[in-house]
Amino acid sequence: TVMQFVLPPLIAVGSAIVFALSWQAWLTLFGCCFLGVILSWPVLRNVDALKAVTLPIDLALLEVEEKIIEAWEKAKPGLEKQFRESFLKHIYPYIRQLDDLTYEKYKFSIIRAIKAWTLCLRYDDLVSTVLPFAPRTRDPEVAAAEYEHNFMVDICFQSVSEIHNLKIKSVWIEWFQGDMILEHIGRQDVTKSKKGDLTVTYPPPESENRFSISQEVRLSFYPSFEEEGTDFQDKFDDAPIRLRLMGRKALPLYSNDGNAHWLKSQDEVVFLGETVISAKRLGCGTQRSLNEPVLSDVRIPFFFRDYEDYHSAVVTARTTVTRVDSSSYSYRESLSGLASGDWSLKVNLYELRSLAAADDSGSSDPFVVVRAFGAEKRSQTFKATLSCVVDEMLFFNQAMTGQEVEDAKVSIIVYDWNLFGAPVMLGQVEFDVSNIFRLPNHEFYRRWVALTKSTKGNKPQGFMKLSVSVLAPGSSLPVLHSEHEDREEFANAALLKNEIVKAPKF
């Protein structure tokens, strides 16, 4: 037959190949085949004809992974203890001494460089040129003649580059002062550059869709100040412009109405660095800035505190400095010349989270008290909970002078209700009414704030989501916002449980 004629030669040729190749060649051939299977496994596991083979292998791999994780968790405490006793106690001090000697001689710390690398920072000797400046001490006679100039600083962003935290999906920039965000630009998704880092490119400054933030900066001016080697700008004190770069680790899911949503299990807001810019270096206080706008193209490195010689990202922008005339409304406003009349304040209380437990049962009975314009109002009481949806609006109205508004504060305090005895304060937050009025649209809109207590230092005692808006006499109606909320967040908030609720991320 044909098979009797063909098989003997094939068997002979196969045997010759088997015995002709060495074991090293066969091992190499097997390794290449095994590597090919591993690389093509995502494709093979989706082939229906191979499901009977691939599914048991996947299950076995998952079991092995679980056992490895379990074994690691058991061995981790012992390994950490051994590491502390053997390495940190005996070896690390010598490494530290060697690092100190290296720093004394070459002004470079290897340990610090490794820590900076783990924080996704890169060395940048130009960061120190934009760092904070020491305030000047003026002679009393010179200080007596002080008055002020206001400058409008507009920062139009062109790009954000050299972001080495590759988990970031989108970024935005905030202009802040203390704990208050004065203004911010919208979130933009990042792209990967040819260098391997992440970058964002904004529309050009001439575009209608430019990304910019503007705020007034006030500089003290001392006309009688005269010292040898000084120029006109030295008559001004400097002022800091503080920016910070924020990012998200999750890609947004866009709904039909165009609003962005994030998966709660993946969403995380990350602080990517801050910077402090000298207003005088941008042109504030120069002879030219008093007469015409001053334009500059700037490179702004962002850094982490204690790592001021490393940058976390680099921003390029075009800045415009314009002197604000003393007759303008914005300048009178910044000098506390607010209008007198009927001022209104609206406080929206949305949600409380992760409050401190005041009762022996491990829970609290929270209610919110708002004090403003010499009045006090409170919300309803929520029984036996550390997290709850408040969803109440409190309204205040008072006839006040502009100076009274400048000095006015709004205090929002969370108490624990007691059947017998006085309420116990859980935490509070306080705002200056004038600072709220100077925010865009005169409002602090839908933000999480940390509740603090003086006896607990700066440790948060819970979190509150709220809005605060201020309406001046004779001003138009406040901006109406869309009532559309993140449906997933609102649904979860309506079913809050003490044991599953986490503190909100900033």
Side-chain angles (χ1 to χ4, degrees):
T1 64
V2 176
M3 293 302 297
Q4 290 175 338
F5 180 77
V6 174
L7 280 178
L10 290 177
I11 294 173
V13 172
S15 301
I17 294 174
V18 169
F19 290 105
L21 296 177
S22 62
W23 66 271
Q24 293 93 338
W26 283 107
L27 183 62
T28 303
L29 182 61
F30 174 78
C32 292
C33 293
F34 185 71
L35 181 62
V37 171
I38 292 176
L39 295 176
S40 60
W41 187 254
V43 178
L44 295 175
R45 69 196 304 180
N46 292 325
V47 179
D48 293 336
L50 299 177
K51 291 284 187 182
V53 178
T54 57
L55 282 177
I57 294 177
D58 280 340
L59 292 174
L61 291 175
L62 287 174
E63 291 179 0
V64 171
E65 183 181 1
E66 289 178 358
K67 291 180 179 179
I68 292 175
I69 294 174
E70 184 180 355
W72 167 251
E73 293 297 331
K74 290 181 179 179
K76 187 177 179 180
L79 293 174
E80 290 179 349
K81 182 179 179 181
Q82 186 177 1
F83 177 78
R84 288 193 300 267
E85 292 178 351
S86 60
F87 179 79
L88 295 180
K89 186 176 180 180
H90 301 290
I91 302 176
Y92 183 75
Y94 296 102
I95 297 177
R96 190 71 189 183
Q97 290 179 9
L98 179 62
D99 187 68
D100 293 339
L101 292 174
T102 305
Y103 183 79
E104 290 179 3
K105 187 173 183 179
Y106 300 104
K107 301 300 180 183
F108 182 78
S109 172
I110 299 176
I111 295 178
R112 192 164 175 271
I114 294 174
K115 290 181 179 179
W117 186 270
T118 60
L119 294 172
C120 302
L121 307 179
R122 298 297 182 266
Y123 181 75
D124 189 342
D125 56 354
L126 296 178
V127 177
S128 58
T129 63
V130 298
L131 286 184
F133 26 80
R136 303 189 63 166
T137 303
R138 304 284 185 176
D139 184 86
E141 295 183 1
V142 173
E146 171 194 2
Y147 65 93
E148 296 169 333
H149 281 279
N150 270 40
F151 298 88
M152 178 64 72
V153 178
D154 176 82
I155 304 177
C156 182
F157 298 98
Q158 298 172 325
S159 68
V160 182
S161 60
E162 299 187 44
I163 303 174
H164 297 280
N165 188 342
L166 301 182
K167 296 181 180 179
I168 299 301
K169 304 300 181 183
S170 58
V171 297
W172 66 94
I173 300 174
E174 299 174 345
W175 186 330
F176 71 100
Q177 181 177 351
D179 296 331
M180 184 76 68
I181 300 174
L182 303 179
E183 195 172 352
H184 66 89
I185 62 171
R187 178 189 53 81
Q188 286 287 98
D189 295 340
V190 300
T191 57
K192 198 168 186 178
S193 68
K194 295 181 179 179
K195 298 180 181 179
D197 58 350
L198 302 180
T199 182
V200 175
T201 302
Y202 297 105
E206 299 80 13
S207 171
E208 294 181 358
N209 301 321
R210 62 199 295 264
F211 281 72
S212 64
I213 51 181
S214 302
Q215 287 291 323
E216 288 187 12
V217 176
R218 184 190 307 176
L219 300 187
S220 296
F221 179 63
Y222 302 90
S224 60
F225 176 75
E226 294 290 345
E227 284 187 4
E228 186 177 353
T230 61
D231 56 14
F232 179 79
Q233 196 178 26
D234 291 324
K235 295 177 180 290
F236 287 87
D237 274 353
D238 211 340
I241 298 173
R242 303 181 185 276
L243 307 176
R244 63 184 169 209
L245 181 66
M246 306 295 291
R248 281 187 182 272
K249 285 189 175 181
L251 284 172
L253 303 175
Y254 292 96
S255 60
N256 293 334
D257 58 4
N259 289 328
H261 304 261
W262 285 269
L263 295 175
K264 301 305 174 186
S265 59
Q266 299 179 5
D267 182 29
E268 184 178 352
V269 176
V270 182
F271 171 76
L272 296 177
E274 64 179 305
T275 190
V276 183
I277 309 172
S278 162
K280 290 173 67 173
R281 293 197 61 179
L282 296 182
C284 295
T286 60
Q287 191 82 46
R288 179 184 170 191
S289 66
L290 300 180
N291 303 311
E292 60 182 66
V294 178
L295 277 69
S296 306
D297 290 319
V298 296
R299 173 187 182 270
I300 307 173
F302 285 73
F303 58 90
F304 284 6
R305 293 184 182 179
D306 300 327
Y307 291 90
E308 286 81 2
D309 48 350
Y310 293 83
H311 72 244
S312 58
V314 175
V315 171
T316 57
R318 176 171 296 175
T319 62
T320 305
V321 174
T322 309
R323 179 171 176 258
V324 179
D325 188 77
S326 59
S327 62
S328 71
Y329 171 81
S330 57
Y331 184 78
R332 295 197 311 273
E333 177 187 326
S334 67
L335 293 181
S336 306
L338 300 178
S340 299
D342 289 330
W343 285 79
S344 300
L345 178 74
K346 184 179 71 171
V347 179
N348 289 85
L349 307 172
Y350 300 113
E351 185 179 338
L352 297 172
R353 251 186 221 188
S354 303
L355 297 176
D359 298 335
D360 296 335
S361 60
S363 64
S364 297
D365 303 320
F367 65 92
V368 183
V369 172
V370 180
R371 295 170 182 161
F373 293 177
E376 178 177 303
K377 298 184 179 182
R378 56 166 290 175
S379 71
Q380 62 174 310
T381 302
F382 301 88
K383 296 297 183 68
T385 182
L386 299 181
S387 300
C388 58
V389 175
V390 182
D391 196 21
E392 290 190 30
M393 183 189 75
L394 303 177
F395 189 81
F396 299 82
N397 182 266
Q398 180 70 26
M400 306 173 68
T401 65
Q403 188 58 48
E404 288 174 338
V405 175
E406 283 285 350
D407 299 333
K409 298 182 182 295
V410 52
S411 299
I412 305 171
I413 312 168
V414 180
Y415 286 96
D416 171 63
W417 177 84
N418 290 314
L419 180 60
F420 303 103
V424 178
M425 190 183 78
L426 300 179
Q428 67 174 348
V429 65
E430 190 174 77
F431 300 92
D432 290 327
V433 174
S434 59
N435 286 343
I436 298 292
F437 182 73
R438 293 189 178 101
L439 291 177
N441 299 324
H442 314 307
E443 64 179 353
F444 182 82
Y445 183 67
R446 280 192 182 274
R447 292 186 182 274
W448 284 102
V449 295
L451 302 171
T452 58
K453 193 175 181 180
S454 58
T455 57
K456 300 294 184 179
N458 293 326
K459 184 179 179 181
Q461 300 300 301
F463 302 89
M464 178 189 298
K465 188 177 184 181
L466 53 77
S467 292
V468 182
S469 58
V470 179
L471 191 63
S475 60
S476 59
L477 293 174
V479 175
L480 295 178
H481 296 275
S482 172
E483 291 300 322
H484 179 83
E485 279 288 302
D486 187 327
R487 302 301 179 189
E488 181 183 353
E489 177 183 348
F490 189 81
N492 291 339
L495 300 173
L496 291 173
K497 302 295 182 184
N498 297 339
E499 60 272 18
I500 64 170
V501 173
K502 297 181 180 179
K505 296 178 179 179
F506 292 93

